[in-house]
Amino acid sequence: MKKVVVLGSENCVTCTNLKDKIAKMVSDKNIPAEVSKVTDIVEVMKYGVMSVPGLVIDGQVKCSGRIPSDKELNSWLA
């Protein structure tokens, strides 16, 4: 099972949109994954992410400061 973590602040609409987008993609494609959001700034900084949203899949930062394309997400979640 993949572990997907969206990094961002609690009130970040873009971060919430990314989490929702990934959760829908995981559900629609029956991908075994756990999707969560981390809003604690100390935890976010542990990943070295300086701009949000950040996306971490299985402990590896995939992107930060933007919402990745569907093509990128599909390749990372495959």
Side-chain angles (χ1 to χ4, degrees):
M1 176 178 287
K2 291 204 176 286
K3 185 173 179 182
V4 180
V5 180
V6 174
L7 307 172
S9 65
E10 219 168 290
N11 298 324
C12 174
V13 174
T14 305
C15 303
T16 301
N17 288 344
L18 177 57
K19 181 182 179 279
D20 293 344
K21 178 179 181 173
I22 293 170
K24 183 175 183 341
M25 183 177 282
V26 163
S27 175
D28 289 350
K29 296 181 181 239
N30 294 319
I31 298 169
E34 175 188 325
V35 182
S36 62
K37 182 178 172 187
V38 172
T39 58
D40 179 17
I41 191 67
V42 174
E43 290 299 313
V44 171
M45 295 302 288
K46 286 181 182 178
Y47 289 99
V49 171
M50 300 306 276
S51 59
V52 294
L55 176 62
V56 178
I57 299 176
D58 293 334
Q60 186 176 33
V61 176
K62 294 296 187 179
C63 72
S64 67
R66 66 184 179 90
I67 292 187
S69 69
D70 286 354
K71 184 177 179 179
E72 287 174 307
L73 287 172
N74 281 322
S75 69
W76 295 333
L77 293 171

